[in-house]
Amino acid sequence: MDTGTPATGGFGALLYGLRTEAGLSQEELAHASGVSVRALSSMERGHTRGPQRRTVQALSAALGLDASRARDLEHTASLGRPRRAPTTDVPPPAAVSDVVAQSAPDLLPRAPRGFHGRVTELVALSRAAAGEAPVCLVIGPAGVGKTALVLHWAHDRRAGFTDGLLYADLRGFGDAGEPALMEVLREFLLALGVPHSRIPESAIGAAALFRSLAADRRLLVVLDNARDSEQVRPLLPGGRRCVTVVASRHRLPGLIVTDTARSLAVDVLGPEDSTKLLAQVLGTDRVFAEPEAARRLAELCGGLPLALRVTAARLAQRPDWSLDAMAAELSDETRRLSLLDVEDIGVRAALRVTLLQLPGHVSRQFAHLGRHPGTHVDRYAAAALADTDPAVAEAALERLSAAHLVTETAPGRWTMHDLVRLYARSLDVGPHTLTRVLDHYIATALAAVAAAEPGNEECFPMPADYLPPAAVREFDDRSAAVVWYATEREDLTLAVAASHAAGLHGRTWRIVLAMWPLIVWRVRDGWVPLLETGLEAARADGDRHGESRVLNVLGWVLIEEGRIPEALTHLEVASELASRAGDAVAEANALLVLAVAQAALGSLDEAAKGCERAVELARKADDRTIERLAMQHLARHWADAGKWRQALDMATEALAFDDRSPAVDVPRILLLMARGEALLGLGDEAEGIAQLDLAARAAESFGYDDGAVRALGALLRVSADAGHRARYDAAVERLTTRM
């Protein structure tokens, strides 16, 4: 029965009108969409003015709206959602007081349809969830229905969690890779009202903020497909009124020891419940008409819910088939395992039916998504895979999302369930799919380099057989490029691995090299294996230019890791290769990094000579960017050698001729540091401190924590200022949490 009075305008009034036009009651629309009657009533009365996009999509599909009317409904919903205020400065991490007031978040996927039985398990889960801050473990084999059980229980008990319901798929058992801890925490914090710009950069900081926000709330947190206890612990809310439910194939004894977790084992269904599950999908008349065949199907499926659902889906799409005929197929022992293989053929059969109901171009996009080397796609990557444009790709992704074949994990980012991805990979997509998406990553990374490090030379020419995407993402500023690098880091790494495995050597080293800004910003993040892959690919490609550049970056990382002899070996080769190729800029770059290694071994004079040679090469190439960089290195080496006047003059000259002086970048920060130390060495303490403080503040605003540590460390050697000490400790903490 419908309840409440419809709102007089906005999303609620529009939804009410569309529902009545379709001739549906709230209960009928709730059943068709998976949205609760309570939520629908709240929306129509105007209490929920801007529901989440996934909710609006489910409603549009259930109402049978065409594309135009669905867009109108989504647009109206978007007008009621809270907006983030624009900002031009990099804010500090959020505090609890920064949280934007909003309705209780609900990240739960839709309630499972056709759920039956599990009465004992549901009661046991309710008991396990009682008490103070309980952690409940729902464990069992793959395909046994752990997720369905947890989601059914969560939707049934949602009224008890007044402050929200959070959900994350930790993907602990698939081949697509697990989500980064920071990715999960970011989604939770956004749902709890933390503005995107105020989310801490470190996982430790984000986890601490999450625990603070959860401390006094009545929350349900569902962590699905957890691999082990270590993956779960940082995501535990800890609030006294919070309940955490963890679903896993493993027993997770560590959580029992450290968090007094309560365990619930889920087994296969018995014959009666298995038969009733089939009836939920196929209808009682059809199942009860062949009771023996139904029991035989349940037996052949081994009571495994996923296998039962796959079998039922096959039958539902073939109303002329008898249950006995299906049982006869499954009775063939040579075929049974393949038909019930939940990670291959069985799921493939169910998904094939779903795809047949979609337009051809959407099915084609789905097939191409299976060849993506990473775990997430945006509309640009999807377009490159299918050789189309981003608008067409995005429309296809929206259709696939409505059909539950992809999931939008964040605005504009989609992923596939592991089993769905396996099926998509089995479909024929023709040649060049992987090459196209790799070239998409190369083009986008170069655009990010241009935005993040303006004025730097291009990393490399494109491959001779480059396949340009229809459109390349544009970056308005450095911060947008930084966000892209951080978001795509895992997928870029997986793209390198896929390219290397496919023998596409020219793409492999180019993607690695195009990641250099991220490598420099996060130099201690363990980049050596990736760079070694890039080096191997450059050599296999026979590209000396690429080999020299990769060696140069590898040498820099090895220096930062304290592996100086290895770095020297690589950098000497890099310099020689660049010299033989007549690449003055590459040779200058190699000499500069080589000088850093030489200085680390105490050869300051030799290091300075290398920098002087780099300055000459840069001037010969008429490259002011590399000239400025070489001058910065030379100033640094003279300062380290105690040649204060030479260091001061060189740093001052480089800062003066820099036509990008208003902009902050790493070389400028380092030049300010060298100038400040030189002034201190010459006895001008006040101006030296001022220059070092300027360098430190620039590094902090730029997110260059390593530079902030160095500048503030130099300040602390001549000043006992408590503010400098606090900033130094904070920068060290940020560096430590990233390592």
Side-chain angles (χ1 to χ4, degrees):
M1 179 180 294
D2 292 355
T3 58
T5 303
T8 57
F11 179 83
L14 178 58
L15 177 61
Y16 175 82
L18 291 170
R19 178 175 65 77
T20 55
E21 180 182 330
L24 298 175
S25 68
Q26 284 186 346
E27 288 80 4
E28 290 170 334
L29 180 55
H31 179 76
S33 65
V35 178
S36 70
V37 174
R38 178 183 175 185
L40 285 172
S41 177
S42 179
M43 291 176 202
E44 291 188 355
R45 286 180 291 165
H47 296 173
T48 304
R49 299 176 181 174
Q52 297 182 20
R53 191 177 188 184
R54 69 186 72 180
T55 301
V56 179
Q57 290 172 338
L59 291 170
S60 297
L63 290 166
L65 302 182
D66 60 25
S68 176
R69 302 184 82 187
R71 282 195 298 270
D72 289 342
L73 187 62
E74 165 56 23
H75 175 70
T76 305
S78 70
L79 297 177
R81 295 174 189 147
R83 306 288 177 176
R84 290 198 296 267
T87 179
T88 57
D89 298 321
V90 178
V96 174
S97 59
D98 295 319
V99 175
V100 177
Q102 59 182 44
S103 59
D106 183 354
L107 299 185
L108 287 181
R110 65 187 301 167
R113 293 180 178 176
F115 184 87
H116 181 79
R118 301 294 194 193
V119 175
T120 302
E121 290 89 342
L122 290 168
V123 171
L125 183 53
S126 294
R127 289 174 178 169
E132 184 175 302
V135 177
C136 312
L137 304 180
V138 179
I139 59 175
V144 80
K146 301 181 294 296
T147 299
L149 170 69
V150 170
L151 290 178
H152 179 84
W153 177 87
H155 279 278
D156 187 57
R157 297 292 179 128
R158 65 189 313 132
F161 299 101
T162 54
D163 293 316
L165 305 103
L166 304 178
Y167 173 88
D169 184 354
L170 302 184
R171 302 198 303 268
F173 302 98
D175 66 348
E178 301 165 9
L181 172 61
M182 193 63 201
E183 177 184 338
V184 177
L185 288 168
R186 183 179 293 108
E187 184 168 359
F188 282 3
L189 292 173
L190 289 171
L192 292 173
V194 180
H196 190 284
S197 61
R198 307 287 283 184
I199 294 176
E201 291 186 2
S202 73
I204 290 178
L209 178 57
F210 172 56
R211 289 191 296 272
S212 298
L213 293 173
D216 297 316
R217 301 192 189 202
R218 178 68 172 165
L219 287 172
L220 172 64
V221 179
V222 177
L223 303 175
D224 201 6
N225 291 314
R227 167 179 41 81
D228 56 26
S229 302
E230 182 181 0
Q231 190 186 27
V232 169
R233 284 195 188 95
L235 298 169
L236 296 178
R240 293 185 301 105
R241 299 189 298 155
C242 294
V243 174
T244 305
V245 180
V246 182
S248 179
R249 299 181 192 180
H250 293 166
R251 297 187 183 276
L252 307 186
L255 287 179
I256 298 175
V257 173
T258 61
D259 294 273
T260 321
R262 304 161 190 180
S263 184
L264 169 63
V266 183
D267 205 347
V268 296
L269 295 173
E272 183 178 352
D273 281 339
S274 294
T275 302
K276 289 182 178 179
L277 189 154
L278 289 171
Q280 288 281 343
V281 180
L282 298 173
T284 55
D285 291 345
R286 188 174 179 187
V287 171
F288 290 168
E290 298 182 76
E292 291 301 320
R295 291 180 67 87
R296 178 61 175 156
L297 282 175
E299 178 184 339
L300 290 167
C301 290
L304 193 66
L306 180 56
L308 288 162
R309 291 180 183 278
V310 168
T311 301
R314 291 166 65 93
L315 284 165
Q317 297 299 323
R318 297 173 177 175
D320 55 326
W321 269 37
S322 67
L323 273 65
D324 189 64
M326 186 75 235
E329 283 206 352
L330 287 174
S331 295
D332 184 350
E333 292 186 355
T334 64
R335 301 186 62 212
R336 186 186 309 161
L337 289 178
S338 62
L339 288 171
L340 298 181
D341 187 346
V342 298
E343 293 188 344
D344 192 4
I345 304 300
V347 172
R348 183 177 297 144
L351 293 175
R352 184 185 306 116
V353 174
T354 304
L355 281 180
L356 288 174
Q357 300 172 357
L358 296 173
H361 74 281
V362 177
S363 297
R364 180 175 175 271
Q365 179 70 72
F366 173 81
H368 282 87
L369 290 175
R371 304 306 171 93
H372 185 258
T375 60
H376 289 76
V377 297
D378 59 14
R379 65 195 192 111
Y380 294 95
L385 285 162
D387 195 18
T388 186
D389 66 76
V392 172
E394 185 171 26
L397 287 166
E398 296 287 355
R399 291 293 299 270
L400 292 170
S401 180
H404 306 287
L405 293 173
V406 301
T407 301
E408 191 173 13
T409 57
R413 280 177 67 76
W414 289 266
T415 189
M416 280 180 160
H417 185 281
D418 298 337
L419 301 180
V420 177
R421 183 179 288 105
L422 284 175
Y423 174 67
R425 286 178 184 169
S426 72
L427 303 177
D428 183 24
V429 295
H432 310 309
T433 301
L434 177 61
T435 302
R436 286 196 300 269
V437 78
L438 294 175
D439 286 351
H440 147 75
Y441 279 123
I442 293 172
T444 310
L446 288 178
V449 170
E453 300 290 345
N456 276 278
E457 58 167 327
E458 291 190 5
C459 298
F460 43 73
M462 289 297 191
D465 56 347
Y466 171 64
L467 301 175
V472 178
R473 177 188 291 272
E474 296 180 356
F475 299 95
D476 294 333
D477 51 29
R478 178 183 181 277
S479 63
V482 170
V483 168
W484 181 83
Y485 269 120
T487 302
E488 297 291 344
R489 173 175 175 172
E490 180 183 359
D491 284 328
L492 286 168
T493 302
L494 292 171
V496 169
S499 179
H500 192 55
L504 297 172
H505 304 302
R507 270 83 180 175
T508 303
W509 68 260
R510 282 177 169 86
I511 296 175
V512 171
L513 200 54
M515 293 172 68
W516 75 261
L518 182 61
I519 295 172
V520 171
W521 301 331
R522 301 287 185 261
V523 71
R524 294 182 178 86
D525 278 7
W527 297 104
V528 170
L530 182 75
L531 287 163
E532 288 177 339
T533 298
L535 178 60
E536 182 181 340
R539 287 172 173 167
D541 194 36
D543 194 301
R544 291 186 175 180
H545 171 86
E547 182 181 354
S548 174
R549 295 302 176 93
V550 175
L551 280 167
N552 198 39
V553 180
L554 176 57
W556 174 262
V557 172
L558 288 170
I559 291 170
E560 291 294 323
E561 292 187 359
R563 298 158 64 176
I564 309 301
E566 293 176 70
L568 278 172
T569 300
H570 289 310
L571 292 166
E572 287 169 353
V573 174
S575 175
E576 182 181 350
L577 283 172
S579 178
R580 290 207 315 246
D583 188 339
V585 172
E587 184 180 358
N589 262 315
L591 287 171
L592 293 176
V593 183
L594 180 61
V596 175
Q598 292 165 338
L601 295 176
S603 303
L604 296 179
D605 289 342
E606 190 175 1
K609 289 178 181 177
C611 291
E612 289 173 334
R613 173 60 179 158
V615 172
E616 293 174 4
L617 288 167
R619 288 172 177 168
K620 178 181 177 182
D622 194 24
D623 189 313
R624 288 177 65 82
T625 298
I626 195 66
E627 180 183 358
R628 170 176 172 264
L629 181 65
M631 294 172 74
Q632 173 250 303
H633 277 266
L634 187 53
R636 174 75 270 158
H637 290 305
W638 275 335
D640 289 341
K643 298 179 179 180
W644 306 119
R645 175 53 61 186
Q646 291 167 277
L648 177 61
D649 291 345
M650 183 59 64
T652 302
E653 180 184 353
L655 286 166
F657 86 73
D658 182 8
D659 56 10
R660 294 178 301 160
S661 57
V664 175
D665 63 2
V666 171
R668 179 172 179 78
I669 292 167
L670 296 176
L671 281 166
L672 289 170
M673 288 169 55
R675 193 169 190 275
E677 291 178 44
L679 286 165
L680 289 176
L682 292 170
D684 191 345
E685 184 170 302
E687 184 59 26
I689 289 175
Q691 289 290 302
L692 287 171
D693 186 61
L694 183 61
R697 293 187 184 281
E700 289 165 331
S701 69
F702 193 66
Y704 180 36
D705 293 326
D706 188 69
V709 168
R710 295 180 188 184
L712 289 164
L715 276 171
L716 289 173
R717 288 193 289 271
V718 295
S719 169
D721 183 89
H724 294 158
R725 169 57 63 182
R727 290 162 58 198
Y728 176 84
D729 291 342
V732 170
E733 176 65 19
R734 290 193 298 271
L735 273 178
T736 304
T737 55
R738 286 207 314 264
M739 294 175 65

